[in-house]
Amino acid sequence: MQKPEIPLSEERRLQILQQTQLLDTDPEARFDRITRLVQQCFNVKIVLISLVDRERQFLKSRQGLDVCETHRDISFCGHAILADDVFEVYDAQQDARFDDNPLVTTSPFIRFYAGAPLTLANERIGTLCLIDEVPRRLSKRERQSLKQFAELIEQEINDRLQEHAHEQLAARELMYRSVLEGTRIGTWQWNVQTGETTFNERWAEMAGYTLAELAPISISTWFDLAHPGDVEQSNRLLEQHFRGESAFYDCKCRIRHRTGDWIWVHDRGRVISWTDDGKPLMMYGTHADITAQKQAELEIKASRDQFQALVSNIPGITYRCMVDKNWTMLFMSGNIDPVSGYPASDFINNKVRTYASVIHPEDRAWLEKAVDQAVAEQQSWQLQYRVIHKNGEIHWVEERGKADYAEDGKVRFLDGFILDISEEKLAKHKLSALASQLPGAVYQYQQWPDGRVAFPYASNAMERVYGISLEQLKKDASMAFAKIHPEDLTGLVESIEQSRLTLAEWYHEYRVINEDKSIIWLSGSSQPEAMPDGSTLWHGYIQDITTIKQYYLQLEQVNRELKMAQQRLDSASKNAAIGFWQASLVTGELWWSPMIYQLFGFDEQDIKPSIALFKSIVHPDDRQLVEQSELMAQETGVHDVIHRIIRPDGTICWVHGVAKLLPLTENPEKLLVGSVQDVTERMILQQLKDEFIATVSHELRTPLTAIKGALSLLNAGARDQISDKMQKMLQIASSNTGRLSNLINDLLDIEKLTAGKVQLNIQPLHVATELQQALENLLLYAEQYKITLNIEQCDDRLCVLADAMRLQQVLTNLISNAVKFSYPEGTVAINAEHLGDKVQISITDNGIGIDPEFTHRVFERFAQADGSNNRQTGGTGLGLAICKELIEQMQGTISFDSVLAEGSTFRFVLPYCQKPDFISVVQEDPDE
């Protein structure tokens, strides 16, 4: 099992993940709705929103799985967050990274996985993943849809963060308002010309005194308490105000408290009357104790900076505006710029333009009406409308807001949040387009306690399913129930009710009657959700399964027939003692039928088939023979070998294995499918037959040679002394003895070959020379049958390693067979070509061909397609068997293909060698 790697930016990724405040939180409907829809759209068993923590993955939303977290080391999502694109595993059991993963080997038995990363602040914090128990590949469109669903989840995470930030902002504003309302202010009035001064009691309290304790009161009372270091600044600001350089006197300074401590006060005032000669006369002002504010000033500044940073980082616009037709902005965050193309400063107090001016003209009237209604009802609002960007582009935004009311119920201002949802709108449009391409209908079905039913949302395919418009279905779904087949209606209603009560997934198959009285089968599945108003909302998918149902009925019939065929095959296998098997030359997997357990002497309960087990029971002397046949099967497509096996009890038996390699274009695992049969008795009989033939051949050869010699002498010297009838009988006797002599020679050859007694003189042979010699030797024979011999292709540089006499014997046998079985006036073509480290020689005729039922016996001894005694072609039936033995002992192979009534091609391959210097071809000069 391969553990997922750790991203390079792991610490920052984990920090971003913590900031989402999603870990170890309860399920939320906003995420569960999406995963249920994903589950329906992709028709998978499990859909998860996985957040990859430091040592675990936390499942924020899960469909089809009970656990809420797993270890990161065994997670698939840990791999998925390493790349930007969809991470897909077609079959986990065949993937070396996951084949021993406990999530694969045990519940939930993952076979297919596809995960789209969830990205926040450029860090992949988790995935939206699909999981199923069967292998699967996503199409290009499905991969795109999965990424779009992941983007929708990312938007929900951002929305959730923005909502939390807005709540914090509202709480902070309430705190500031409470601080301001709770502040108590000291007041003063001062005759600048006389110095006469009046303070209120609060002014004295700030310094820890009563007014009576400070009497008599004058401007000196203030200067006596003022901090010496602040007097100069106070005087300077006063002079500026007196000269008209500032509208107010505004100074923050210190005064001495009764305890001896210094407190900070905010001193503000204004000259309200002047003397006739333009000098300041009466001045009024306030003193506010700002000691606590001064102490908290840095903290407040830091808090404000943090607030501004938070607002600027929220992917939306926060605002406070007046209640007027222009929505005059008192505050607006900077994120208005990408939405409108204008800076926030343009909208504050309508400095350059109003916010209403960028709202799409078609949306202004209804938007204003909706906000006014919400304000009148003291309700919040959530509205979607269009904003016109500076460059002319249209942006869709969603505004969520609420009015702030004074104690008398009047509206003071509007607070809200505006989010650019253009991408979400585009995603919904794509989702709608995707739903329209599905073979079925995506829908939401809602049922209220009072019995009302409706489809709040349904894709266009729903009209095709029920023949009812979407507008009608949105208002009333009862019309759809009127289309249900009467026999299925009760069961359908009961299944929906059961799903409502248990909130379990609903699945049902039922029939619908069309307007033309035709019947279609539908399959529906959905996930219920309890709503706050007491209703139940199902998110689901419906598709037409009429064709599938018809196929299913046909499949049931085929399965019954297949079961009967399997029973007949098992019976035939048992009666004939033939077992069947299948092996992969790529994976090494092996399967065999129960009969093979009996043939090999194994207990079916204790032994699991494998190629290693099979090779262990092959007789050591036959292992190379079996391996060569397997290698040849990859070239010829046929595996055919007779060999010995050693059973667990020590007995040795002969088996005949025959198999065919399926076409490689449809067979990437190189599957061999074949049979095996116990041929021990046949091999014993063959051995007895071989011994008998050897004995008979040797015993007959000596007397037959004498008889043949005597007949030759009689035919040569006594022709004039015997009658014609006697001469004819002598000729027949001579011909039969010749045929019998050939048979005995072939029998002796096959005996020597079988016993391994043939001594071969392997040497480099020039192929062109050998073919020409064979052709010349058979020209007269071919003329008797009116057949043309032709060497069509042979590179003069080709050489093989072989025995010269035995190669001529093979060529003579194959060419004479081709001549013998060709139609008159036909042609026998001889070709040689270089194939890697081999040379292939082929002999092709256009004769009668070989019956398909006989092809498996072509190279057997005494095998002849025409078994009658009056065969027109003659022959012993040993020629091809001898050819096969000779070619194989020269480290080659022989094969053929044939079409009945069209001809045959026999071909054999021998080891290739470089042309030695001593081999040369003498070409005759045509002019000599």
Side-chain angles (χ1 to χ4, degrees):
M1 181 182 71
Q2 179 177 326
K3 296 181 179 179
E5 297 178 1
I6 302 300
L8 296 177
S9 59
E10 178 67 358
E11 292 304 321
R12 183 176 184 276
R13 191 190 69 81
L14 292 173
Q15 182 180 6
I16 298 300
L17 176 59
Q18 290 294 334
Q19 291 174 2
T20 65
Q21 303 178 30
L22 289 170
L23 292 175
D24 299 312
T25 58
D26 294 331
E28 296 180 45
R30 66 197 308 163
F31 296 113
D32 291 344
R33 280 195 294 270
I34 298 175
T35 53
R36 281 193 293 268
L37 182 58
V38 172
Q39 186 180 43
Q40 295 298 322
C41 288
F42 288 88
N43 193 22
V44 294
K45 183 176 180 181
I46 297 173
V47 176
L48 305 173
I49 295 178
S50 169
L51 303 174
V52 182
D53 202 358
R54 187 181 299 275
E55 294 181 351
R56 60 165 180 164
Q57 63 171 352
F58 172 71
L59 307 181
K60 176 59 180 173
S61 178
R62 56 190 188 274
Q63 305 297 332
L65 191 67
D66 292 331
V67 298
C68 62
E69 67 179 40
T70 62
H71 202 280
R72 182 174 177 176
D73 288 347
I74 64 173
S75 71
F76 284 61
C77 297
H79 296 269
I81 64 170
L82 299 178
D84 292 328
D85 206 355
V86 174
F87 177 75
E88 185 173 357
V89 178
Y90 163 66
D91 189 348
Q93 288 186 356
Q94 303 299 322
D95 194 320
R97 298 171 295 178
F98 306 105
D99 56 358
D100 58 344
N101 190 303
L103 299 179
V104 176
T105 59
T106 61
S107 180
F109 303 103
I110 298 177
R111 295 290 298 276
F112 162 74
Y113 172 89
L118 300 177
T119 303
L120 194 66
N122 295 323
E123 294 293 339
R124 295 181 287 274
I125 62 172
T127 69
L128 168 64
C129 63
L130 312 177
I131 295 174
D132 216 332
E133 296 178 345
V134 295
R136 176 176 173 180
R137 283 193 175 92
L138 294 181
S139 66
K140 183 178 180 180
R141 177 176 294 175
E142 288 175 328
R143 291 172 67 90
Q144 185 63 30
S145 297
L146 183 59
K147 290 193 285 188
Q148 291 174 353
F149 276 119
E151 292 170 359
L152 186 58
I153 292 171
E154 293 169 358
Q155 187 60 56
E156 287 294 332
I157 294 175
N158 285 324
D159 289 350
R160 187 177 185 273
L161 287 173
Q162 292 163 7
E163 292 168 3
H164 289 178
H166 185 71
E167 293 171 359
Q168 293 174 359
L169 175 63
R172 190 178 298 277
E173 288 181 347
L174 179 61
M175 178 189 70
Y176 292 157
R177 192 178 302 114
S178 300
V179 171
L180 290 175
E181 292 175 353
T183 301
R184 295 162 60 194
I185 302 298
T187 62
W188 54 267
Q189 60 184 26
W190 174 37
N191 188 320
V192 180
Q193 299 301 318
T194 63
E196 182 181 356
T197 306
T198 300
F199 298 107
N200 69 352
E201 193 66 38
R202 173 59 185 153
W203 189 94
E205 290 176 358
M206 285 190 295
Y209 299 96
T210 65
L211 283 175
E213 291 175 328
L214 294 174
I217 302 296
S218 68
I219 193 62
S220 299
T221 306
W222 159 251
F223 284 110
D224 290 342
L225 294 176
H227 192 287
D230 296 338
V231 172
E232 182 181 354
Q233 179 190 13
S234 175
N235 290 334
R236 178 173 53 81
L237 293 174
L238 274 172
E239 290 299 326
Q240 288 179 356
H241 177 59
F242 293 161
R243 292 193 301 266
E245 296 176 2
S246 60
F248 291 89
Y249 162 72
D250 193 326
C251 181
K252 294 178 181 179
C253 55
R254 290 161 288 182
I255 63 174
R256 186 178 63 250
H257 193 270
R258 186 172 191 169
T259 61
D261 297 327
W262 295 98
I263 64 171
W264 280 91
V265 295
H266 189 182
D267 192 359
R268 298 184 80 248
R270 183 182 181 187
V271 176
I272 62 171
S273 62
W274 303 81
T275 65
D276 293 339
D277 56 358
K279 295 180 180 179
L281 181 58
M282 292 302 297
M283 188 174 182
Y284 291 88
T286 62
H287 276 166
D289 186 348
I290 61 170
T291 304
Q293 296 177 29
K294 268 290 186 178
Q295 293 174 348
E297 189 174 66
L298 293 178
E299 297 178 6
I300 294 174
K301 184 178 183 300
S303 177
R304 287 177 178 173
D305 291 343
Q306 182 181 8
F307 170 74
Q308 291 291 342
L310 176 63
V311 169
S312 64
N313 287 323
I314 293 176
I317 307 152
T318 55
Y319 71 85
R320 169 169 285 183
C321 73
M322 298 174 61
V323 186
D324 56 24
K325 65 178 182 180
N326 291 322
W327 287 8
T328 301
M329 291 294 168
L330 302 176
F331 169 79
M332 177 170 274
S333 62
N335 286 331
I336 186 63
D337 191 352
V339 176
S340 68
Y342 304 108
S345 59
D346 280 12
F347 301 99
I348 303 301
N349 294 318
N350 301 331
K351 180 179 181 182
V352 177
R353 56 184 51 81
T354 66
Y355 180 70
S357 68
V358 298
I359 298 175
H360 197 285
E362 297 178 1
D363 295 343
R364 291 175 189 168
W366 71 261
L367 181 61
E368 182 177 352
K369 182 178 180 180
V371 173
D372 289 345
Q373 182 178 351
V375 171
E377 298 175 355
Q378 296 193 358
Q379 298 291 326
S380 62
W381 63 86
Q382 182 174 336
L383 304 169
Q384 294 182 0
Y385 56 91
R386 291 165 290 178
V387 169
I388 303 176
H389 192 274
K390 179 180 180 181
N391 61 14
E393 294 180 353
I394 302 296
H395 285 247
W396 276 94
V397 299
E398 179 175 286
E399 178 179 331
R400 304 175 185 180
K402 190 174 183 179
D404 186 87
Y405 302 89
E407 292 182 358
D408 59 2
K410 292 183 179 180
V411 179
R412 296 195 298 174
F413 38 74
L414 306 180
D415 291 331
F417 177 80
I418 301 171
L419 179 66
D420 188 343
I421 60 169
S422 300
E423 293 185 1
E424 179 183 345
K425 276 284 185 180
L426 179 60
K428 288 183 177 179
H429 175 73
K430 291 181 178 179
L431 178 60
S432 178
L434 174 63
S436 67
Q437 299 300 317
L438 294 173
V442 179
Y443 69 90
Q444 287 181 316
Y445 169 76
Q446 193 164 10
Q447 182 173 298
W448 285 267
D450 61 5
R452 288 182 298 122
V453 290
F455 286 96
Y457 168 80
S459 60
N460 294 334
M462 187 66 82
E463 291 189 6
R464 299 195 302 269
V465 171
Y466 287 110
I468 304 172
S469 71
L470 295 182
E471 290 301 322
Q472 290 175 303
L473 291 173
K474 287 180 180 179
K475 298 176 182 178
D476 184 7
S478 61
M479 292 181 290
F481 285 88
K483 298 278 188 175
I484 308 299
H485 194 288
E487 296 179 2
D488 298 343
L489 182 58
T490 301
L492 175 64
V493 173
E494 290 177 352
S495 67
I496 295 175
E497 180 63 15
Q498 181 66 23
S499 176
R500 184 188 70 82
L501 293 174
T502 62
L503 291 181
E505 180 182 5
W506 173 78
Y507 176 81
H508 202 72
E509 292 182 0
Y510 55 96
R511 289 166 290 179
V512 168
I513 303 176
N514 287 326
E515 294 295 336
D516 59 1
K517 304 303 180 181
S518 62
I519 294 177
I520 63 172
W521 276 93
L522 297 179
S523 172
S525 60
S526 62
Q527 189 66 39
E529 178 185 4
M531 305 304 291
D533 61 357
S535 65
T536 304
L537 181 66
W538 282 266
H539 311 268
Y541 180 73
I542 293 176
Q543 62 177 332
D544 185 338
I545 61 168
T546 304
T547 303
I548 298 175
K549 271 290 185 179
Q550 292 172 350
Y551 288 155
Y552 178 75
L553 295 176
Q554 295 175 2
L555 182 61
E556 285 186 334
Q557 178 63 27
V558 171
N559 285 337
R560 287 194 295 269
E561 295 175 357
L562 179 61
K563 186 175 181 180
M564 293 179 62
Q566 183 65 44
Q567 292 174 349
R568 290 195 293 268
L569 180 61
D570 291 342
S571 178
S573 172
K574 185 175 181 180
N575 294 334
I578 298 177
F580 302 97
W581 55 273
Q582 174 180 294
S584 171
L585 300 181
V586 174
T587 65
E589 294 180 356
L590 177 64
W591 170 88
W592 59 41
S593 65
M595 190 62 203
I596 295 183
Y597 287 95
Q598 299 182 28
L599 293 178
F600 290 173
F602 290 132
D603 187 341
E604 186 173 353
Q605 303 298 324
D606 300 334
I607 299 297
K608 181 180 180 181
S610 67
I611 288 181
L613 174 63
F614 170 72
K615 289 184 176 181
S616 69
I617 65 172
V618 175
H619 196 286
D621 295 343
D622 295 344
R623 288 174 184 169
Q624 185 176 0
L625 178 66
V626 174
E627 291 174 357
Q628 288 178 347
S629 181
E630 291 175 351
L631 292 174
M632 283 305 301
Q634 300 186 46
E635 298 179 8
T636 65
V638 177
H639 168 65
D640 189 345
V641 63
I642 297 176
H643 62 90
R644 290 163 292 179
I645 62 168
I646 303 176
R647 290 175 171 165
D649 61 3
T651 59
I652 297 176
C653 69
W654 287 86
V655 293
H656 184 190
V658 179
K660 184 176 182 181
L661 184 67
L662 301 179
L664 294 181
T665 55
E666 305 172 2
N667 183 24
E669 293 186 3
K670 295 184 178 180
L671 293 178
L672 270 174
V673 179
S675 63
V676 63
Q677 183 178 16
D678 188 341
V679 295
T680 304
E681 294 184 4
R682 191 175 79 186
M683 294 302 294
I684 293 174
L685 292 175
Q686 182 66 40
Q687 183 177 1
L688 294 174
K689 183 175 71 174
D690 291 344
E691 293 174 355
F692 171 75
I693 291 173
T695 302
V696 171
S697 298
H698 285 287
E699 293 298 328
L700 288 178
R701 192 172 190 182
T702 301
L704 186 60
T705 302
I707 294 172
K708 185 177 180 182
L711 289 173
S712 298
L713 289 174
L714 288 174
N715 283 325
R719 289 184 179 180
D720 298 335
Q721 301 176 13
I722 59 178
S723 64
D724 293 340
K725 183 177 181 180
M726 183 60 70
Q727 286 184 7
K728 186 175 182 179
M729 293 179 64
L730 288 174
Q731 290 175 356
I732 294 173
S734 179
S735 175
N736 288 335
T737 54
R739 182 179 298 173
L740 186 57
S741 178
N742 289 337
L743 173 60
I744 292 174
N745 289 335
D746 285 349
L747 287 171
L748 291 176
D749 279 347
I750 199 70
E751 179 202 358
K752 291 178 181 179
L753 288 168
T754 303
K757 298 179 181 179
V758 174
Q759 299 296 323
L760 298 177
N761 181 20
I762 303 299
Q763 58 182 320
L765 300 177
H766 185 241
V767 174
T769 301
E770 297 298 325
L771 295 182
Q772 187 64 38
Q773 179 182 340
L775 185 145
E776 291 174 355
N777 291 340
L778 292 168
L779 279 177
L780 292 178
Y781 179 76
E783 289 178 358
Q784 296 177 12
Y785 289 86
K786 298 180 181 181
I787 300 299
T788 301
L789 302 181
N790 184 23
I791 300 176
E792 293 184 347
Q793 175 185 340
C794 182
D795 190 333
D796 188 61
R797 295 169 295 180
L798 289 181
C799 287
V800 296
L801 291 173
D803 183 291
M805 181 181 71
R806 296 303 185 179
L807 178 58
Q808 283 297 319
Q809 183 178 353
V810 171
L811 289 170
T812 299
N813 203 323
L814 295 179
I815 296 173
S816 63
N817 275 357
V819 170
K820 185 166 49 175
F821 292 104
S822 292
Y823 296 117
E825 308 300 335
T827 299
V828 173
I830 306 168
N831 294 279
E833 57 181 325
H834 188 192
L835 300 178
D837 60 348
K838 304 286 185 182
V839 173
Q840 178 177 279
I841 298 173
S842 61
I843 295 91
T844 302
D845 64 69
N846 53 2
I848 64 175
I850 301 173
D851 191 320
E853 295 183 359
F854 183 71
T855 54
H856 67 286
R857 298 186 54 224
V858 166
F859 292 109
E860 291 184 3
R861 303 175 192 179
F862 302 104
Q864 290 181 314
D866 181 7
S868 62
N869 292 329
N870 58 347
R871 294 190 304 264
Q872 298 179 0
T873 55
T876 64
L878 291 172
L880 291 178
I882 292 173
C883 289
K884 183 175 184 295
E885 291 287 346
L886 287 174
I887 291 297
E888 290 178 350
Q889 292 201 23
M890 289 188 287
Q891 305 305 310
T893 59
I894 186 170
S895 61
F896 75 97
D897 55 63
S898 178
V899 178
L900 194 62
E902 293 185 14
S904 305
T905 296
F906 280 80
R907 57 182 64 85
F908 61 89
V909 295
L910 291 172
Y912 167 78
C913 69
Q914 296 288 340
K915 180 180 178 181
D917 295 336
F918 61 82
I919 295 180
S920 62
V921 179
V922 179
Q923 297 183 346
E924 295 182 359
D925 188 346
D927 296 332
E928 293 182 358

